[in-house]
Amino acid sequence: MNTKIIGTGYDLPAFAADNDYLATLVDTSDEWIVERTGIRTRHLAKEETTTSMAVRASVQALERAGMKAEEIDLLIVATITGDTETPSTSCRVQAEIGAHRAVAFDVNAACSGFLYGMHIAEAFIRSGIYRNALVIGSETMSKIIDWTDRSTCVLFGDGAGAAVLAGTEEPGILSQIVGSNGGKWEVLECQGRPNENPLNKEERKPGYLTMNGQEVFKFAVKTVPVCVEEALEKAGVAADEVKYFLLHQANKRIIQSVAKRLGQPEEKFPMNLDQCGNTSAASLPILLAQMDEQGLLQRGDKLVLSGFGAGLTWGACLLEW
Ligand code: ACO
């Protein structure tokens, strides 16, 4: 049994903050941000939440898949910014869209989360346990960003993307690779809410995201080409046969470097980071859904999705559209 993406959807907050707006908050400039990252604007949630964006993206994906919410067997939300510690965002999405038959849980693998979700969903579908899955990446990064830290606050944005996966005899996902290196967890972290256990009076850092940008950069440009090549090799597909490489939208320079290392033209690496910034687990499904909406994906096209993130984590998925 193969697994195919049969519908995509996305949602972005209404408010778009350009680089000049950020320059009113921290000592930065449009020129620095564009030159170092490629980002020009990002959407930031005012009214929207991780759940509400996930719901809108899911409704669109289900509509495009021609599937009803109650048909969904498995519902996975990849997020590091759920609206509640518990229940999971997936349970809240389940309730809102009416996917009452689904098993629902969240996955925390930061920017690689959507690829982890796809990996889990495919394993369940291939084994015959479930017939289909709704995999969502949804993030409100703006609530864990330190808005006084110019080295991180200019990078991230909010949004959600979703994909409906179904078992099929046709070719779909051809190979998947995921990996983790917990030994490097401190490179990119967010401690979250303080531990209020009366037995533990240890001083805690405020719960904002901190990052060693250069370490993450080096890790990304080294790891992403390797895992993309592993995914291609596993399926016996040459890089030249791939129509598009959809990479996690963190930094234009990282994407350019990966293109060079793979020996592939930059035109094969679509980007929306100039408009969305880094939306963590939502980045890949938003890009995929936008390309789908624009009619850029034809049946039979080979696509690679690949990303990296906190953990450290990484992944690549080769599929036939
Ligand atoms: N505006 C102006 N100056 C800035 C800004 C800013 N927003 N941010 C940093 N600077 C300054 C620094 O203070 C430094 O100044 P100094 O030389 O006087 O000390 C100078 O710019 C250079 O800083 P670097 O950190 O060396 O800049 P670099 O070229 O490495 O770019 C960046 C930084 C964009 C963060 C880059 O390292 C990067 O993209 N790293 C990868 C980050 C990433 O992808 N993170 C997402 C991971 S996904 C997830 O799981 C959440």
Side-chain angles (χ1 to χ4, degrees):
M1 178 65 73
N2 296 321
T3 303
K4 205 172 180 69
I5 294 179
I6 60 164
T8 62
Y10 72 99
D11 190 53
L12 293 166
F15 176 67
D18 64 12
N19 292 340
D20 290 335
Y21 172 80
L22 295 200
T24 66
L25 306 178
V26 288
D27 181 14
T28 191
S29 65
D30 178 56
E31 194 190 358
W32 191 97
I33 302 170
V34 172
E35 193 188 308
R36 301 287 179 121
T37 71
I39 299 165
R40 292 180 187 277
T41 187
R42 73 286 291 143
H43 293 258
L44 300 179
K46 279 187 176 175
E47 305 293 329
E48 301 85 353
T49 64
T50 300
T51 306
S52 75
M53 293 186 291
V55 165
R56 286 170 65 102
S58 299
V59 168
Q60 193 178 57
L62 286 164
E63 206 175 283
R64 288 194 192 158
M67 196 180 267
K68 291 192 177 73
E70 56 266 34
E71 293 175 64
I72 293 292
D73 295 330
L74 175 65
L75 195 164
I76 299 175
V77 176
T79 189
I80 55 169
T81 53
D83 299 319
T84 39
E85 292 277 337
T86 193
S88 62
T89 301
S90 52
C91 282
R92 297 183 57 177
V93 172
Q94 174 192 30
E96 293 229 11
I97 66 175
H100 55 83
R101 286 185 50 253
V103 170
F105 57 87
D106 288 1
V107 167
N108 177 339
C111 306
S112 314
F114 181 73
L115 293 169
Y116 273 55
M118 295 261 290
H119 193 59
I120 296 164
E122 192 218 351
F124 273 117
I125 293 170
R126 188 160 21 90
S127 67
I129 295 175
Y130 299 125
R131 288 166 305 163
N132 59 54
L134 174 60
V135 182
I136 305 158
S138 186
E139 302 279 20
T140 316
M141 294 302 286
S142 56
K143 66 186 179 193
I144 61 164
I145 297 302
D146 178 353
W147 287 99
T148 65
D149 174 13
R150 68 177 181 173
S151 69
T152 54
C153 76
V154 301
L155 304 175
F156 296 94
D158 302 334
V164 178
L165 276 62
T168 166
E169 296 304 322
E170 293 169 42
I173 292 174
L174 303 177
S175 64
Q176 296 204 79
I177 301 286
V178 288
S180 324
N181 176 10
K184 291 266 186 187
W185 71 270
E186 282 168 307
V187 167
L188 182 47
E189 62 150 320
C190 176
Q191 297 213 351
R193 59 197 296 249
N195 179 355
E196 285 168 13
N197 179 344
L199 302 174
N200 184 354
K201 295 286 181 199
E202 219 177 290
E203 276 289 310
R204 293 278 309 267
K205 281 185 264 176
Y208 295 119
L209 183 128
T210 60
M211 176 177 72
N212 180 333
Q214 289 182 2
E215 276 287 317
V216 177
F217 196 100
K218 280 190 271 176
F219 153 70
V221 296
K222 204 172 124 204
T223 310
V224 173
V226 173
C227 77
V228 168
E229 273 165 358
E230 275 178 39
L232 292 170
E233 203 180 298
K234 204 169 157 187
V237 170
D240 289 345
E241 293 175 58
V242 174
K243 180 140 182 218
Y244 294 115
F245 294 85
L246 284 73
L247 300 192
H248 171 47
Q249 301 290 296
N251 187 315
K252 190 177 178 178
R253 290 186 295 139
I254 294 177
I255 295 174
Q256 288 168 330
S257 165
V258 173
K260 207 167 155 192
R261 284 182 194 222
L262 289 171
Q264 292 295 307
E266 258 181 59
E267 303 77 65
K268 286 171 99 173
F269 293 74
M271 290 187 223
N272 66 6
L273 60 82
D274 58 325
Q275 294 303 310
C276 298
N278 178 350
T279 54
S280 185
S283 134
L284 286 173
I286 292 174
L287 181 61
L288 185 70
Q290 288 180 332
M291 291 178 71
D292 191 13
E293 185 177 64
Q294 290 160 19
L296 295 172
L297 308 176
Q298 309 300 326
R299 220 176 166 75
D301 285 349
K302 290 192 174 58
L303 311 177
V304 167
L305 277 62
S306 182
F308 60 91
L312 295 170
T313 56
W314 59 91
C317 172
L318 169 66
L319 59 88
E320 188 167 315
W321 192 250

